Amino acid sequence: MSERIKRVGVLTGGGDCPGLNAVIRAVTTSLIQHDGIEVFGFEDGFAGLIEKRGRLLDWDAVSGILQQGGTILGTSNKADPFHHKIEKNKKPAWVDFSEQTIDNARDLGVDVLVCIGGDGTMTIAQKLMNKGLPIIGVPKTIDNDLFGTDVTFGYDTAVSIAADAIDRIHTTAQSHHRVMLVETMGRYAGWLTLGAGLAGGADVILIPEIEYNLDVIAERVKERSRKGRRFSIIAVSEGAKPKGGELTVQRVVEDSPDKLRLGGVSMKLCSQIEDITGLESRATILGHLQRGGTPTAFDRILGTRYGVAAAEMVRDGRFGYMAALRGNEVVAVSIDEIGGKTRTIPPDDQLIRAALATGVSFGD
Ligand code: F6P
């Protein structure tokens, strides 16, 4: 099979994250160097595939990008060949553009497509594969919520940024004797908040998997105050919600596969906690800071390992698989097992047990 492959397409889909360039670099250098295969980079995720927009990647194109955040190819979390926005009678309309998209790949001589992305990207990749386009997946997201892999690249960097932010919040919390809330991203999974909260020594960690009770949080803060600990740090996931309550939605992006953008729960909680406890409180929303900047060494290494594994799958003619980390090994898992599922934190996860054992409250 590998004899017939002359050109491999690569795209980065969904929200950007640190380490994407490490994967692009590894896929490109492995394939052009060892197999003489050309690598064509589609620009702006599936938008580039839909619009036949991209460029050939050579050694120079990927040189010096390992430590750069973001993606040199650009990305989009709206473009979807199966739900493509067009204008019809001066009004927006959505069409299935998947056949034309696959034809575009073939016209450009792309035999296999490496899709680097999260759950949305893998779902689209799976559907394109079922329509006949050979696909290989690489898992990215700061949320770490992708099914089939223990870790996505980008997570380690985001946890480090959020933990560093909590460290900085600590000193001002101590000085002013305040309750400080730090809101992290992560969508419907609490991995990022739990990781950052543990690393930053948060007193309370609120995650989507465990609905909180406001009175329990307030009591924990008051108890600390009674014991002479005159500040508290609360790490809050953007997807955290009260028992039986609703998510806090910041905006609705109509033409995005996952329309909801979460954010702002910490602001609500901040005034509620201040009202109940009488303790001065402040909230900081970390937002897109967590996705920006230089990847950690861990993410550069993991991204490189994933990229090399994807190139090996091309070589072996192993399509329909995603590179994944299981324990310490990079393995191939079927994309069919992944699409449309979210990996949330199991109630008995070791990280949860470690947090509880060290006195953290989940506010439940
Ligand atoms: O999936 C990555 C992520 O950063 C989430 O943590 C967050 O909810 C979302 O993307 C934000 O999306 P956008 O960049 O469209 O605001």
Side-chain angles (χ1 to χ4, degrees):
M1 186 80 194
S2 61
E3 281 86 46
R4 289 198 278 122
I5 293 172
K6 295 197 170 53
R7 184 177 281 190
V8 169
V10 59
L11 63 79
T12 52
D16 73 329
C17 94
L20 284 167
N21 288 328
V23 184
I24 296 168
R25 174 179 174 273
V27 169
T28 305
T29 50
S30 308
L31 289 175
I32 60 179
Q33 187 182 201
H34 302 296
D35 305 276
I37 294 173
E38 286 182 335
V39 178
F40 186 87
F42 286 99
E43 290 163 358
D44 302 334
F46 287 109
L49 195 59
I50 292 167
E51 295 159 20
K52 246 176 153 175
R53 191 156 49 76
R55 58 188 189 266
L56 275 176
L57 298 176
D58 60 11
W59 198 274
D60 285 341
V62 298
S63 168
I65 66 170
L66 184 59
Q67 47 287 81
Q68 276 176 31
T71 160
I72 59 160
L73 291 175
T75 188
S76 162
N77 56 11
K78 292 184 183 172
D80 178 353
F82 295 88
H83 194 65
H84 177 50
K85 192 178 176 185
I86 54 161
E87 205 183 272
K88 204 173 174 184
N89 304 327
K90 295 200 173 147
K91 284 193 180 138
W94 282 265
V95 293
D96 180 352
F97 204 70
S98 54
E99 289 295 340
Q100 294 91 325
T101 300
I102 292 173
D103 287 346
N104 287 349
R106 291 196 179 122
D107 288 351
L108 288 164
V110 166
D111 305 304
V112 187
L113 182 65
V114 175
C115 295
I116 312 169
D119 50 353
T121 304
M122 291 309 148
T123 303
I124 294 170
Q126 181 193 28
K127 291 203 276 181
L128 286 174
M129 193 179 70
N130 293 341
K131 291 196 101 169
L133 185 65
I135 299 277
I136 291 165
V138 177
K140 73 90 225 196
T141 168
I142 63 163
D143 303 340
N144 203 32
D145 62 349
L146 198 61
F147 211 81
T149 183
D150 292 349
V151 189
T152 54
F153 71 85
Y155 173 66
D156 185 70
T157 307
V159 169
S160 305
I161 294 169
D164 178 64
I166 294 175
D167 287 348
R168 289 168 194 276
I169 291 288
H170 239 114
T171 59
T172 172
Q174 259 165 339
S175 309
H176 285 268
H177 320 300
R178 284 173 172 160
V179 178
M180 299 295 273
L181 296 100
V182 182
E183 180 174 322
T184 52
M185 282 185 163
R187 230 185 267 271
Y188 310 111
W191 295 107
L192 182 49
T193 319
L194 184 52
L198 270 178
D203 307 298
V204 179
I205 300 178
L206 306 177
I207 55 175
E209 292 85 347
I210 303 176
E211 294 184 342
Y212 64 77
N213 178 335
L214 187 56
D215 293 329
V216 173
I217 303 170
E219 186 44 40
R220 171 53 63 101
V221 167
K222 282 196 285 186
E223 184 198 351
R224 280 180 56 79
S225 183
R226 279 197 299 272
K227 288 182 175 163
R229 299 190 185 105
R230 297 176 62 202
F231 73 95
S232 289
I233 304 286
I234 306 180
V236 193
S237 183
E238 62 178 3
K241 56 181 190 323
K243 214 169 174 34
E246 300 294 322
L247 286 168
T248 305
V249 176
Q250 192 197 64
R251 64 168 68 201
V252 176
V253 185
E254 280 305 338
D255 50 354
S256 172
D258 186 349
K259 298 183 184 359
L260 302 187
R261 294 294 180 275
L262 306 177
V265 61
S266 61
M267 294 291 169
K268 283 190 205 163
L269 270 168
C270 180
S271 48
Q272 289 168 334
I273 290 169
E274 195 168 75
D275 285 349
I276 299 178
T277 63
L279 297 167
E280 196 176 20
S281 308
R282 295 285 189 273
T284 304
I285 301 177
L286 298 182
H288 292 82
L289 262 181
Q290 295 158 101
R291 273 184 9 202
T294 309
T296 57
F298 179 90
D299 279 336
R300 293 181 210 181
I301 295 168
L302 185 60
T304 301
R305 291 175 75 193
Y306 280 157
V308 168
E312 274 166 12
M313 287 187 233
V314 170
R315 201 168 297 141
D316 297 344
R318 206 156 177 216
F319 309 130
Y321 288 87
M322 181 186 83
L325 192 70
R326 296 271 172 91
N328 286 323
E329 286 296 306
V330 173
V331 297
V333 297
S334 167
I335 291 180
D336 278 332
E337 286 173 28
I338 295 153
K341 297 181 199 152
T342 303
R343 193 177 74 96
T344 53
I345 308 177
D348 62 342
D349 190 85
Q350 265 196 349
L351 289 182
I352 301 243
R353 285 189 273 133
L356 288 171
T358 51
V360 171
S361 164
F362 285 94
D364 58 333

